[in-house]
Amino acid sequence: FPSHDTEGARSILYLLDMELEGKKVRKIGITSKKIEDRLVGIATSVFSKHRYFPYIYPKRFRKVDNALVKEQKILEYMKEYKWASEKEFGGHTEMLDVELDVLVDVYEKVAKGEELLDVGDKCEECGKIKKFEVDGELKCGHKH
């Protein structure tokens, strides 16, 4: 079931905090439906594959122009944090393993049309690029 229109015009861009397979993960997506309806759709889809309802908390959601473009910008920017579920469900391709507050900051910047940092040193701990400002320092998405 498609959750968004193909033009990606003025739709809801959302950020979900979720727990799946015993892990805290995040989901970025867009929908032209009410956010409540989208959450029910995701929970039902997860249940049909995993046989349990996941923890889902809508951390951010708002109508934005060019929603599809903004969703894709976030997913491309965060691609090294992509997380794959053991079982596919509706929306499973937009999952990320990243600290929630780091992703909230990226979401807010993209939603407002602000620029994102794209350069940084590699994290010594996990090898990911340090491109997120946390407490005045550049950190990776795991806040190392």
Side-chain angles (χ1 to χ4, degrees), residues 51-74:
R51 308 315 291 167
Y52 67 83
F53 286 105
Y55 164 84
I56 304 177
Y57 178 78
K59 185 65 178 175
R60 291 285 187 278
F61 58 96
R62 73 170 66 106
K63 278 198 174 193
V64 297
D65 291 323
N66 302 312
L68 182 60
V69 171
K70 289 178 179 176
E71 175 200 42
Q72 293 305 308
K73 182 174 185 172
I74 293 171

PDB file of all heavy atoms in Angstrom, residues 51-74:
ATOM      1  N   ARG A  51       4.867 -11.029  13.955  1.00  0.00           N
ATOM      2  CA  ARG A  51       3.885 -11.538  14.914  1.00  0.00           C
ATOM      3  C   ARG A  51       3.949 -10.814  16.258  1.00  0.00           C
ATOM      4  O   ARG A  51       3.638 -11.386  17.298  1.00  0.00           O
ATOM      5  CB  ARG A  51       3.999 -13.057  15.125  1.00  0.00           C
ATOM      6  CG  ARG A  51       3.984 -13.872  13.847  1.00  0.00           C
ATOM      7  CD  ARG A  51       2.937 -13.497  12.831  1.00  0.00           C
ATOM      8  NE  ARG A  51       1.573 -13.799  13.239  1.00  0.00           N
ATOM      9  CZ  ARG A  51       0.507 -13.326  12.622  1.00  0.00           C
ATOM     10  NH1 ARG A  51       0.617 -12.535  11.585  1.00  0.00           N
ATOM     11  NH2 ARG A  51      -0.704 -13.623  13.049  1.00  0.00           N
ATOM     12  N   TYR A  52       4.350  -9.556  16.258  1.00  0.00           N
ATOM     13  CA  TYR A  52       4.233  -8.689  17.426  1.00  0.00           C
ATOM     14  C   TYR A  52       4.085  -7.254  16.940  1.00  0.00           C
ATOM     15  O   TYR A  52       4.446  -6.925  15.811  1.00  0.00           O
ATOM     16  CB  TYR A  52       5.438  -8.818  18.371  1.00  0.00           C
ATOM     17  CG  TYR A  52       6.754  -8.306  17.813  1.00  0.00           C
ATOM     18  CD1 TYR A  52       7.099  -6.953  17.868  1.00  0.00           C
ATOM     19  CD2 TYR A  52       7.668  -9.183  17.247  1.00  0.00           C
ATOM     20  CE1 TYR A  52       8.300  -6.488  17.358  1.00  0.00           C
ATOM     21  CE2 TYR A  52       8.877  -8.728  16.731  1.00  0.00           C
ATOM     22  CZ  TYR A  52       9.182  -7.382  16.796  1.00  0.00           C
ATOM     23  OH  TYR A  52      10.368  -6.934  16.289  1.00  0.00           O
ATOM     24  N   PHE A  53       3.517  -6.421  17.800  1.00  0.00           N
ATOM     25  CA  PHE A  53       3.410  -5.006  17.466  1.00  0.00           C
ATOM     26  C   PHE A  53       4.632  -4.282  18.012  1.00  0.00           C
ATOM     27  O   PHE A  53       4.978  -4.452  19.181  1.00  0.00           O
ATOM     28  CB  PHE A  53       2.129  -4.398  18.052  1.00  0.00           C
ATOM     29  CG  PHE A  53       0.901  -4.812  17.306  1.00  0.00           C
ATOM     30  CD1 PHE A  53       0.034  -5.754  17.848  1.00  0.00           C
ATOM     31  CD2 PHE A  53       0.605  -4.284  16.060  1.00  0.00           C
ATOM     32  CE1 PHE A  53      -1.108  -6.144  17.161  1.00  0.00           C
ATOM     33  CE2 PHE A  53      -0.529  -4.669  15.363  1.00  0.00           C
ATOM     34  CZ  PHE A  53      -1.384  -5.608  15.919  1.00  0.00           C
ATOM     35  N   PRO A  54       5.286  -3.495  17.188  1.00  0.00           N
ATOM     36  CA  PRO A  54       6.503  -2.810  17.632  1.00  0.00           C
ATOM     37  C   PRO A  54       6.183  -1.561  18.455  1.00  0.00           C
ATOM     38  O   PRO A  54       5.081  -1.015  18.377  1.00  0.00           O
ATOM     39  CB  PRO A  54       7.159  -2.398  16.306  1.00  0.00           C
ATOM     40  CG  PRO A  54       5.981  -2.127  15.410  1.00  0.00           C
ATOM     41  CD  PRO A  54       4.971  -3.179  15.794  1.00  0.00           C
ATOM     42  N   TYR A  55       7.172  -1.121  19.219  1.00  0.00           N
ATOM     43  CA  TYR A  55       7.114   0.195  19.845  1.00  0.00           C
ATOM     44  C   TYR A  55       7.319   1.205  18.721  1.00  0.00           C
ATOM     45  O   TYR A  55       8.267   1.091  17.943  1.00  0.00           O
ATOM     46  CB  TYR A  55       8.237   0.324  20.888  1.00  0.00           C
ATOM     47  CG  TYR A  55       8.508   1.737  21.314  1.00  0.00           C
ATOM     48  CD1 TYR A  55       7.751   2.341  22.314  1.00  0.00           C
ATOM     49  CD2 TYR A  55       9.515   2.486  20.709  1.00  0.00           C
ATOM     50  CE1 TYR A  55       8.003   3.643  22.702  1.00  0.00           C
ATOM     51  CE2 TYR A  55       9.776   3.795  21.093  1.00  0.00           C
ATOM     52  CZ  TYR A  55       9.006   4.365  22.090  1.00  0.00           C
ATOM     53  OH  TYR A  55       9.257   5.662  22.469  1.00  0.00           O
ATOM     54  N   ILE A  56       6.405   2.159  18.582  1.00  0.00           N
ATOM     55  CA  ILE A  56       6.533   3.221  17.578  1.00  0.00           C
ATOM     56  C   ILE A  56       6.150   4.539  18.236  1.00  0.00           C
ATOM     57  O   ILE A  56       5.053   4.658  18.789  1.00  0.00           O
ATOM     58  CB  ILE A  56       5.602   3.011  16.363  1.00  0.00           C
ATOM     59  CG1 ILE A  56       5.829   1.668  15.695  1.00  0.00           C
ATOM     60  CG2 ILE A  56       5.789   4.145  15.356  1.00  0.00           C
ATOM     61  CD1 ILE A  56       4.874   1.387  14.543  1.00  0.00           C
ATOM     62  N   TYR A  57       7.059   5.510  18.166  1.00  0.00           N
ATOM     63  CA  TYR A  57       6.780   6.833  18.697  1.00  0.00           C
ATOM     64  C   TYR A  57       7.045   7.869  17.609  1.00  0.00           C
ATOM     65  O   TYR A  57       8.163   7.940  17.086  1.00  0.00           O
ATOM     66  CB  TYR A  57       7.665   7.123  19.913  1.00  0.00           C
ATOM     67  CG  TYR A  57       7.456   8.509  20.470  1.00  0.00           C
ATOM     68  CD1 TYR A  57       6.352   8.800  21.256  1.00  0.00           C
ATOM     69  CD2 TYR A  57       8.362   9.531  20.188  1.00  0.00           C
ATOM     70  CE1 TYR A  57       6.146  10.068  21.754  1.00  0.00           C
ATOM     71  CE2 TYR A  57       8.169  10.808  20.686  1.00  0.00           C
ATOM     72  CZ  TYR A  57       7.061  11.068  21.468  1.00  0.00           C
ATOM     73  OH  TYR A  57       6.873  12.330  21.955  1.00  0.00           O
ATOM     74  N   PRO A  58       6.029   8.641  17.229  1.00  0.00           N
ATOM     75  CA  PRO A  58       6.250   9.672  16.203  1.00  0.00           C
ATOM     76  C   PRO A  58       6.990  10.867  16.809  1.00  0.00           C
ATOM     77  O   PRO A  58       6.395  11.659  17.527  1.00  0.00           O
ATOM     78  CB  PRO A  58       4.832  10.044  15.754  1.00  0.00           C
ATOM     79  CG  PRO A  58       3.968   9.721  16.931  1.00  0.00           C
ATOM     80  CD  PRO A  58       4.634   8.590  17.659  1.00  0.00           C
ATOM     81  N   LYS A  59       8.275  10.959  16.551  1.00  0.00           N
ATOM     82  CA  LYS A  59       9.103  12.022  17.139  1.00  0.00           C
ATOM     83  C   LYS A  59       8.905  13.350  16.425  1.00  0.00           C
ATOM     84  O   LYS A  59       8.896  14.404  17.046  1.00  0.00           O
ATOM     85  CB  LYS A  59      10.583  11.594  17.103  1.00  0.00           C
ATOM     86  CG  LYS A  59      11.513  12.550  17.797  1.00  0.00           C
ATOM     87  CD  LYS A  59      11.248  12.624  19.274  1.00  0.00           C
ATOM     88  CE  LYS A  59      12.230  13.570  19.952  1.00  0.00           C
ATOM     89  NZ  LYS A  59      11.953  13.765  21.349  1.00  0.00           N
ATOM     90  N   ARG A  60       8.790  13.332  15.103  1.00  0.00           N
ATOM     91  CA  ARG A  60       8.547  14.540  14.317  1.00  0.00           C
ATOM     92  C   ARG A  60       7.611  14.194  13.167  1.00  0.00           C
ATOM     93  O   ARG A  60       7.739  13.138  12.558  1.00  0.00           O
ATOM     94  CB  ARG A  60       9.846  15.103  13.714  1.00  0.00           C
ATOM     95  CG  ARG A  60      10.818  15.682  14.705  1.00  0.00           C
ATOM     96  CD  ARG A  60      10.322  17.041  15.188  1.00  0.00           C
ATOM     97  NE  ARG A  60      11.293  17.726  16.008  1.00  0.00           N
ATOM     98  CZ  ARG A  60      11.495  17.520  17.310  1.00  0.00           C
ATOM     99  NH1 ARG A  60      10.807  16.611  17.938  1.00  0.00           N
ATOM    100  NH2 ARG A  60      12.384  18.226  17.972  1.00  0.00           N
ATOM    101  N   PHE A  61       6.686  15.088  12.863  1.00  0.00           N
ATOM    102  CA  PHE A  61       5.854  14.949  11.667  1.00  0.00           C
ATOM    103  C   PHE A  61       5.225  16.299  11.376  1.00  0.00           C
ATOM    104  O   PHE A  61       4.732  16.960  12.263  1.00  0.00           O
ATOM    105  CB  PHE A  61       4.789  13.849  11.823  1.00  0.00           C
ATOM    106  CG  PHE A  61       3.848  14.030  12.981  1.00  0.00           C
ATOM    107  CD1 PHE A  61       2.604  14.630  12.810  1.00  0.00           C
ATOM    108  CD2 PHE A  61       4.209  13.598  14.240  1.00  0.00           C
ATOM    109  CE1 PHE A  61       1.743  14.786  13.876  1.00  0.00           C
ATOM    110  CE2 PHE A  61       3.345  13.759  15.326  1.00  0.00           C
ATOM    111  CZ  PHE A  61       2.104  14.350  15.137  1.00  0.00           C
ATOM    112  N   ARG A  62       5.385  16.712  10.123  1.00  0.00           N
ATOM    113  CA  ARG A  62       4.769  17.966   9.694  1.00  0.00           C
ATOM    114  C   ARG A  62       4.630  17.984   8.189  1.00  0.00           C
ATOM    115  O   ARG A  62       5.393  17.327   7.479  1.00  0.00           O
ATOM    116  CB  ARG A  62       5.564  19.164  10.176  1.00  0.00           C
ATOM    117  CG  ARG A  62       6.873  19.406   9.464  1.00  0.00           C
ATOM    118  CD  ARG A  62       7.482  20.770   9.837  1.00  0.00           C
ATOM    119  NE  ARG A  62       7.879  20.833  11.213  1.00  0.00           N
ATOM    120  CZ  ARG A  62       9.140  20.796  11.640  1.00  0.00           C
ATOM    121  NH1 ARG A  62      10.123  20.736  10.775  1.00  0.00           N
ATOM    122  NH2 ARG A  62       9.423  20.844  12.899  1.00  0.00           N
ATOM    123  N   LYS A  63       3.640  18.750   7.722  1.00  0.00           N
ATOM    124  CA  LYS A  63       3.459  18.914   6.278  1.00  0.00           C
ATOM    125  C   LYS A  63       4.563  19.815   5.757  1.00  0.00           C
ATOM    126  O   LYS A  63       4.856  20.855   6.342  1.00  0.00           O
ATOM    127  CB  LYS A  63       2.094  19.527   5.975  1.00  0.00           C
ATOM    128  CG  LYS A  63       0.996  18.511   5.976  1.00  0.00           C
ATOM    129  CD  LYS A  63      -0.232  19.026   5.271  1.00  0.00           C
ATOM    130  CE  LYS A  63      -1.224  17.882   5.205  1.00  0.00           C
ATOM    131  NZ  LYS A  63      -2.302  18.133   4.312  1.00  0.00           N
ATOM    132  N   VAL A  64       5.173  19.377   4.672  1.00  0.00           N
ATOM    133  CA  VAL A  64       6.249  20.151   4.042  1.00  0.00           C
ATOM    134  C   VAL A  64       6.040  20.130   2.529  1.00  0.00           C
ATOM    135  O   VAL A  64       5.427  19.217   1.990  1.00  0.00           O
ATOM    136  CB  VAL A  64       7.655  19.595   4.375  1.00  0.00           C
ATOM    137  CG1 VAL A  64       7.954  19.679   5.865  1.00  0.00           C
ATOM    138  CG2 VAL A  64       7.821  18.170   3.890  1.00  0.00           C
ATOM    139  N   ASP A  65       6.575  21.147   1.866  1.00  0.00           N
ATOM    140  CA  ASP A  65       6.601  21.152   0.409  1.00  0.00           C
ATOM    141  C   ASP A  65       7.687  20.192  -0.054  1.00  0.00           C
ATOM    142  O   ASP A  65       8.691  20.006   0.639  1.00  0.00           O
ATOM    143  CB  ASP A  65       6.907  22.561  -0.119  1.00  0.00           C
ATOM    144  CG  ASP A  65       5.758  23.521   0.131  1.00  0.00           C
ATOM    145  OD1 ASP A  65       4.587  23.091   0.025  1.00  0.00           O
ATOM    146  OD2 ASP A  65       6.021  24.697   0.444  1.00  0.00           O
ATOM    147  N   ASN A  66       7.506  19.591  -1.207  1.00  0.00           N
ATOM    148  CA  ASN A  66       8.502  18.684  -1.786  1.00  0.00           C
ATOM    149  C   ASN A  66       8.901  17.577  -0.811  1.00  0.00           C
ATOM    150  O   ASN A  66      10.081  17.295  -0.621  1.00  0.00           O
ATOM    151  CB  ASN A  66       9.740  19.460  -2.245  1.00  0.00           C
ATOM    152  CG  ASN A  66       9.391  20.521  -3.254  1.00  0.00           C
ATOM    153  OD1 ASN A  66       8.680  20.265  -4.214  1.00  0.00           O
ATOM    154  ND2 ASN A  66       9.866  21.732  -3.029  1.00  0.00           N
ATOM    155  N   ALA A  67       7.916  16.969  -0.198  1.00  0.00           N
ATOM    156  CA  ALA A  67       8.162  15.959   0.829  1.00  0.00           C
ATOM    157  C   ALA A  67       9.029  14.804   0.339  1.00  0.00           C
ATOM    158  O   ALA A  67       9.952  14.370   1.036  1.00  0.00           O
ATOM    159  CB  ALA A  67       6.839  15.433   1.380  1.00  0.00           C
ATOM    160  N   LEU A  68       8.759  14.311  -0.855  1.00  0.00           N
ATOM    161  CA  LEU A  68       9.534  13.184  -1.382  1.00  0.00           C
ATOM    162  C   LEU A  68      10.999  13.567  -1.563  1.00  0.00           C
ATOM    163  O   LEU A  68      11.895  12.801  -1.224  1.00  0.00           O
ATOM    164  CB  LEU A  68       8.940  12.689  -2.706  1.00  0.00           C
ATOM    165  CG  LEU A  68       9.619  11.479  -3.341  1.00  0.00           C
ATOM    166  CD1 LEU A  68       9.581  10.279  -2.414  1.00  0.00           C
ATOM    167  CD2 LEU A  68       8.959  11.135  -4.672  1.00  0.00           C
ATOM    168  N   VAL A  69      11.250  14.754  -2.068  1.00  0.00           N
ATOM    169  CA  VAL A  69      12.623  15.238  -2.249  1.00  0.00           C
ATOM    170  C   VAL A  69      13.322  15.331  -0.889  1.00  0.00           C
ATOM    171  O   VAL A  69      14.477  14.912  -0.735  1.00  0.00           O
ATOM    172  CB  VAL A  69      12.628  16.621  -2.961  1.00  0.00           C
ATOM    173  CG1 VAL A  69      14.012  17.238  -2.956  1.00  0.00           C
ATOM    174  CG2 VAL A  69      12.101  16.480  -4.373  1.00  0.00           C
ATOM    175  N   LYS A  70      12.616  15.841   0.117  1.00  0.00           N
ATOM    176  CA  LYS A  70      13.211  15.991   1.455  1.00  0.00           C
ATOM    177  C   LYS A  70      13.460  14.633   2.103  1.00  0.00           C
ATOM    178  O   LYS A  70      14.504  14.422   2.734  1.00  0.00           O
ATOM    179  CB  LYS A  70      12.335  16.891   2.321  1.00  0.00           C
ATOM    180  CG  LYS A  70      12.415  18.329   1.839  1.00  0.00           C
ATOM    181  CD  LYS A  70      11.541  19.271   2.625  1.00  0.00           C
ATOM    182  CE  LYS A  70      11.757  20.676   2.050  1.00  0.00           C
ATOM    183  NZ  LYS A  70      10.924  21.671   2.651  1.00  0.00           N
ATOM    184  N   GLU A  71      12.521  13.708   1.939  1.00  0.00           N
ATOM    185  CA  GLU A  71      12.717  12.356   2.469  1.00  0.00           C
ATOM    186  C   GLU A  71      13.962  11.730   1.841  1.00  0.00           C
ATOM    187  O   GLU A  71      14.816  11.174   2.547  1.00  0.00           O
ATOM    188  CB  GLU A  71      11.499  11.491   2.165  1.00  0.00           C
ATOM    189  CG  GLU A  71      11.682  10.046   2.588  1.00  0.00           C
ATOM    190  CD  GLU A  71      10.747   9.084   1.889  1.00  0.00           C
ATOM    191  OE1 GLU A  71      10.532   9.229   0.659  1.00  0.00           O
ATOM    192  OE2 GLU A  71      10.257   8.171   2.563  1.00  0.00           O
ATOM    193  N   GLN A  72      14.076  11.820   0.525  1.00  0.00           N
ATOM    194  CA  GLN A  72      15.211  11.221  -0.172  1.00  0.00           C
ATOM    195  C   GLN A  72      16.530  11.900   0.213  1.00  0.00           C
ATOM    196  O   GLN A  72      17.563  11.236   0.305  1.00  0.00           O
ATOM    197  CB  GLN A  72      14.991  11.270  -1.684  1.00  0.00           C
ATOM    198  CG  GLN A  72      13.851  10.378  -2.155  1.00  0.00           C
ATOM    199  CD  GLN A  72      13.999   8.936  -1.710  1.00  0.00           C
ATOM    200  OE1 GLN A  72      15.028   8.314  -1.919  1.00  0.00           O
ATOM    201  NE2 GLN A  72      12.969   8.396  -1.069  1.00  0.00           N
ATOM    202  N   LYS A  73      16.500  13.199   0.453  1.00  0.00           N
ATOM    203  CA  LYS A  73      17.704  13.916   0.879  1.00  0.00           C
ATOM    204  C   LYS A  73      18.187  13.385   2.233  1.00  0.00           C
ATOM    205  O   LYS A  73      19.375  13.137   2.419  1.00  0.00           O
ATOM    206  CB  LYS A  73      17.430  15.418   0.959  1.00  0.00           C
ATOM    207  CG  LYS A  73      18.646  16.227   1.350  1.00  0.00           C
ATOM    208  CD  LYS A  73      18.391  17.723   1.281  1.00  0.00           C
ATOM    209  CE  LYS A  73      19.679  18.462   1.575  1.00  0.00           C
ATOM    210  NZ  LYS A  73      19.541  19.903   1.333  1.00  0.00           N
ATOM    211  N   ILE A  74      17.257  13.187   3.162  1.00  0.00           N
ATOM    212  CA  ILE A  74      17.630  12.656   4.477  1.00  0.00           C
ATOM    213  C   ILE A  74      18.179  11.241   4.336  1.00  0.00           C
ATOM    214  O   ILE A  74      19.226  10.912   4.897  1.00  0.00           O
ATOM    215  CB  ILE A  74      16.430  12.676   5.448  1.00  0.00           C
ATOM    216  CG1 ILE A  74      16.031  14.121   5.779  1.00  0.00           C
ATOM    217  CG2 ILE A  74      16.768  11.904   6.735  1.00  0.00           C
ATOM    218  CD1 ILE A  74      14.724  14.239   6.545  1.00  0.00           C
TER     219      ILE A  74
END
